């Protein structure tokens, strides 16, 4: 793929819906995709029905349809976030070992996950803040990180204290090494290639401002 | 030969103090809640439980933990918004926790049933969950050695059984059931319906009867899913 | 199980059918059983329908019925010996990895295999005669040897040259170590326990003759 | 997205010289004979073939070997009463043979599709087939380290496909199909029938469409089994 870096200085920062929509537009047609729990789930709202994208949920289903409402709710039919969903024509069910074999075996094209931090090398931290008091809980995050051909992450670029979540080295406990290929944030999207970080586009901020606040070398496409 | 129990209480009565119990379910889908409740009433303690989570609210697995019967839990995602019973036990040091990535948990259980003594997975390599585990490089990438999980007992919820114990499941309620049934010395299964042997198409059986020891029919209306087709 | 050693001096040596019948009688009711290709397949002819024995065939079937004849022949329904068979009520089908997981995982109660040699420790040799010119071919023999809770073997006790096939150490290439628990032969049946070999019964020969021709210490039950 | 080929010849036309090709079937059950014949006509050589056997008589896989297109074969049971084509190639040093216990062959293929870099099995420990392989003791017993098998292509025969490539099989013809489809970069599947997407019950699909790249319908009358229900 070839990109061209764009500074959208006049654009507003992306809200959650806009970020989800951008991710949805970027998912190649006919991909097999897993959307992580939380914010990434929203991406499905923006996948057009003619995209051919087929959704996997790691609790054992390929061909997941939209969230179930009303009479369509069936508590035996849920996604990884334990939300009732629907099945589409061509759905299949399988047990947990088969489902994670599908992930770990590299068969999914894309997974989308939230992130606490992503390093310039694509290391991902999204399962634990490492607090002394924290109860560890990882779910399927580590399996998705190593399994999907492409891992897209979604996060705000800056933490509440203003620090960048795109970092030279993750300080939070790692989920996976060198696995992230794209970072979608409210103010910029980044492409990670061969250990380098490229800015694809900005929203509301300039490249100069980004470079002043993100402690990672940011390259641009011509 | 299949044992058909008359009640959940009878079905779990064989479970002994100190057992490792694999418990199926992901959320409420496939959760054998009547069997878990019966196990709590049964009262065998010092249990090790393997489940994806560590209980929600104050029912089912959470109530089993709350009754002080579980001293160790192996799971992928203990912390949830309503896992307060587990949280309290954990913080007060009353329960031992082993956190395993969800796919590694599933594969370790599968290995337990399949006679695999260990396997190498990329999952968790380079992360805190690989600390203390052996790792090894294959074709330039680091993999972690993981060991099988077996249970003395499995508690599983399936959709239908025939008279021999062949099982089919329903939608995403299948989750851990098939691999847990295979990895336990004795599998205890609650089903919504027991049908005549021969009534299930041989092509659609998910758990062959060799993996099933006891079946108990629990009225579908009493279960937590929608009425089953 | 407790046995009592019996010398049947007046009995004829067992022919193949008689040996198969004896094995069939000894298989515990309601066992899950795999019968190896060749001679052990015959055991199924002597399993009574009320024994509750359920047959596994490693090409992916549990609940195998008798050999198919006439119109019942379906080339998609065969056993491990590639012979058309039938399905019984309660049959299930599964793929090869699941089928061998069932074997290797220790779920089968008994398997019955032919043997070239069995050692006093229960080592089994039944896949290769080790000839320089031999093309190696193992099939599922090694998986059965390690997988079943009990491995019964069937063979003539003496080779054409008169040498015993029950040996101190196998000289043919091994199939599995310490796996055999019973040896059914034309002239005697043996039980292997804790590294010792017990004679359960003889047919046509005396214990004394057996001991003179079999180069392994043979114990008896009282 | 599923490619529906119009002929077996079109379906295999993507296979290139030097590929590793996983070929399903056990005996004639599940043997994709029309695809194998098409591969022979296609003529890509220097192939590594993974199959349980090494061909029978002078048809199918035996004919592929006879055409000199296969330089290496991985299988569990090459020697059969009518494997004379393989026997001759082997004895004259024209084909390389790797013999693998049948269950280890299946598990290595399963590992290939499941992202497992290696596993420890009891099978073959202490036997000549473990020579040169790493072994390790777990709980007092010796296990052999086995590595995954992957294919560039798989040739599989299934019963039905839907329009997305979800597959069901028929009786013992299922054998290696599901694991080979999962372990190949591109799976080429011949089916007796292609049905409308949605016509297969989601509960009974054995191979999810993610594992299938190309499907070709081969008239059931032309296949070697009994007429299919």
């Amino acid at each position: 793929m070839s990109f061209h870096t764009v500074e959208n200085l006049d654009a507003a920062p992306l809200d959650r819906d806009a970020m989800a929509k951008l991710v949805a537009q970027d998912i190649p047609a006919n991909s097999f995709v897993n959307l992580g729990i939380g914010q990434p789930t929203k991406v499905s709202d923006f996948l057009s029905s003619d995209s051919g994208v087929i959704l996997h949920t790691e609790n054992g289903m390929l061909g997941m349809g939209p969230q179930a409402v009303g009479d369509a709710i069936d508590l035996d039919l849920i996604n990884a976030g334990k939300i009732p969903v629907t099945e589409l024509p061509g759905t299949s069910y399988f047990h947990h070992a088969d489902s994670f074999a599908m992930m770990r075996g590299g068969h999914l094209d894309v997974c989308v996950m939230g992130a606490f931090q992503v390093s310039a090398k694509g290391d991902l931290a999204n399962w634990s803040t490492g607090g002394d008091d924290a109860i560890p809980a990882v779910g399927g995050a580590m399996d998705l990180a190593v399994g999907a051909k492409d891992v897209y992450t979604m996060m705000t670029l800056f933490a509440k204290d203003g620090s960048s979540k795109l970092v030279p080295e993750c300080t939070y406990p790692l989920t996976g090494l060198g696995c992230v290929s794209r970072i979608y944030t409210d103010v910029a999207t980044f492409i990670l290639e061969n250990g380098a970080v490229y800015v694809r586009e900005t929203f509301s901020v300039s490249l100069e401002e980004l470079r002043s606040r993100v402690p990672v070398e940011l390259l641009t496409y011509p | 030969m299949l044992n058909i129990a008359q009640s959940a209480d009878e079905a779990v009565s064989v479970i002994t103090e100190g057992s490792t119990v694999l418990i199926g379910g992901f959320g409420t889908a496939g959760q054998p809640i009547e069997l878990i409740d019966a196990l709590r009433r049964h009262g065998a303690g010092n249990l090790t439980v393997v489940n994806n989570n560590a209980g929600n609210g104050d029912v089912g697995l959470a109530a089993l933990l709350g009754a002080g019967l579980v001293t160790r839990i192996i799971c992928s995602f203990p912390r949830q918004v309503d896992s307060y019973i587990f949280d309290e036990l954990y913080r007060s040091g009353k329960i031992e926790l082993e956190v395993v990535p969800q796919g590694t948990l599933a594969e370790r259980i599968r290995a337990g049933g399949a006679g695999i003594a260990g396997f190498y997975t990329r999952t968790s390599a380079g992360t805190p969950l690989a600390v203390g585990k052996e790792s090894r490089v294959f074709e330039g990438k680091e993999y972690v050695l993981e060991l099988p999980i077996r249970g003395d007992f499995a508690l599983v919820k399936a959709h239908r059984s025939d008279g021999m114990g062949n099982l089919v499941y329903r939608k995403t309620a299948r989750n851990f059931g098939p691999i847990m049934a295979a990895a336990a010395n004795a599998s205890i299964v609650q089903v919504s319906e027991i049908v005549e042997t021969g009534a299930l198409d041989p092509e659609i059986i998910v758990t062959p009867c060799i993996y099933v020891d006891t079946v108990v029919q629990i009225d579908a209306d009493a279960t937590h899913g929608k009425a089953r087709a």
Side-chain angles (χ1 to χ4, degrees), chain A, chain B:
Chain A
M1 235 172 298
S2 70
F3 296 110
H4 174 64
T5 300
V6 179
E7 283 179 283
N8 294 303
L9 297 178
D10 296 337
L14 301 185
D15 62 14
R16 284 165 169 250
D17 276 358
M19 211 190 297
K21 187 176 178 185
L22 183 59
V23 172
Q25 287 168 347
D26 282 358
I27 291 175
N30 304 313
S31 297
F32 293 96
V33 175
N34 184 298
L35 301 175
I37 62 178
Q39 203 180 339
T41 303
K42 206 179 261 295
V43 171
S44 67
D45 295 344
F46 298 96
L47 287 167
S48 73
S49 58
D50 61 353
S51 68
V53 168
I54 297 174
L55 296 179
H56 170 262
T57 181
E58 61 264 36
N59 51 317
M61 181 184 192
L62 188 69
M64 181 174 67
Q67 186 169 345
V69 290
D71 279 354
I73 291 174
D74 178 339
L75 296 183
D76 282 346
L77 178 44
I78 60 175
N79 68 13
K82 294 168 187 166
I83 296 167
V85 292
T86 51
E87 62 181 35
L88 296 176
T91 287
S92 54
Y93 296 105
F94 27 81
H95 63 57
H96 246 74
D98 280 350
S99 186
F100 281 84
M102 192 180 282
M103 290 164 59
R104 199 180 39 233
H107 305 282
L108 295 177
D109 298 299
V110 176
C111 91
V112 186
M113 284 196 281
F116 298 152
Q117 289 179 326
V118 179
S119 84
K121 294 171 296 189
D123 296 347
L124 171 65
N126 74 349
W127 72 285
S128 167
T129 52
D132 283 345
D133 197 39
I135 296 176
V138 66
M142 289 185 179
D143 305 282
L144 280 167
V146 302
K149 286 173 196 143
D150 271 300
V151 175
Y152 297 176
T153 59
M154 299 172 73
M155 63 184 187
T156 56
L157 182 55
F158 300 108
K160 282 176 190 157
D161 67 2
S163 63
S164 173
K165 299 183 188 173
L166 171 52
V167 291
E169 295 284 345
C170 293
T171 54
Y172 287 146
L174 288 179
T175 305
L177 290 171
C179 55
V180 176
S181 55
R182 294 189 182 195
I183 310 170
Y184 292 85
T185 77
D186 49 344
V187 295
T189 60
F190 305 91
I191 309 289
L192 277 61
E193 285 183 303
N194 306 319
V197 181
Y198 293 83
V199 181
R200 192 180 76 175
E201 61 202 324
T202 71
F203 305 100
S204 81
V205 298
S206 65
L207 278 166
E208 191 185 345
E209 183 180 345
L210 272 188
R211 286 185 167 130
S212 72
R213 294 186 62 190
V214 174
V216 157
E217 185 182 14
L218 298 179
L219 307 179
T220 56
Y221 295 105
Chain B
M1 206 171 85
L2 185 66
N3 169 39
I4 299 182
Q6 296 309 306
S7 68
D9 293 280
E10 181 193 327
V12 303
S13 62
V14 290
I15 297 180
T16 48
E17 195 93 3
S19 294
T20 294
V21 185
L22 315 178
I23 303 183
F26 181 84
T28 56
Q31 183 180 183
I33 190 153
E34 285 80 3
L35 291 176
I36 299 169
D37 287 347
L39 177 56
R40 178 174 44 76
R41 290 190 295 271
H42 176 53
N46 192 25
L47 302 175
T48 294
V49 163
V50 181
N51 182 265
N52 192 62
N53 302 105
N56 300 79
D58 47 18
V59 298
L61 179 54
L64 186 71
L65 303 187
L69 299 174
V70 180
T71 48
R72 182 157 184 261
I73 189 159
I74 304 176
C75 67
S76 87
F77 210 82
R79 186 194 63 220
Q80 304 204 267
V81 283
D82 57 353
S83 60
Y84 45 83
I85 291 183
F86 167 79
D87 297 359
E88 162 60 23
L89 288 168
Y90 178 75
R91 291 190 204 283
S92 61
K94 288 181 183 144
I95 194 164
E96 192 186 334
L97 169 67
E98 180 178 350
V99 170
V100 180
Q102 195 170 338
T104 299
L105 182 66
E107 189 68 11
R108 288 178 62 190
I109 295 167
R110 192 248 172 209
I116 299 296
F119 61 89
Y120 290 96
T121 175
R122 280 272 285 156
T123 304
S124 95
T127 79
L129 292 189
V131 171
K133 292 182 175 171
E134 218 177 295
S135 76
R136 176 161 175 162
V137 173
F138 291 90
E139 298 183 359
K141 288 183 178 173
E142 188 183 5
Y143 290 75
V144 180
L145 176 64
E146 295 283 358
L147 304 179
I149 293 175
R150 283 193 56 85
D152 298 300
F153 299 94
L155 302 185
V156 165
K157 180 178 173 180
H159 183 38
R160 291 196 178 98
S161 169
D162 67 13
M164 290 169 69
N166 291 297
L167 304 180
V168 294
Y169 299 82
R170 193 167 172 280
K171 302 191 186 284
T172 59
R174 189 182 302 194
N175 58 65
F176 285 94
I179 52 174
M180 285 184 168
N185 293 335
S187 300
I188 302 165
V189 182
Q190 68 173 75
V191 296
S192 302
E193 194 184 0
I194 300 176
V195 301
E196 211 175 327
T197 297
L200 298 177
D201 178 355
E203 300 283 2
I204 73 164
I205 289 168
V206 174
T207 294
C209 60
I210 197 169
Y211 298 124
V212 178
D213 298 88
T214 296
V215 159
V216 58
Q217 182 170 329
I218 304 283
D219 182 6
D221 293 346
T223 67
H224 295 242
K226 190 181 160 77
R228 278 140 181 77

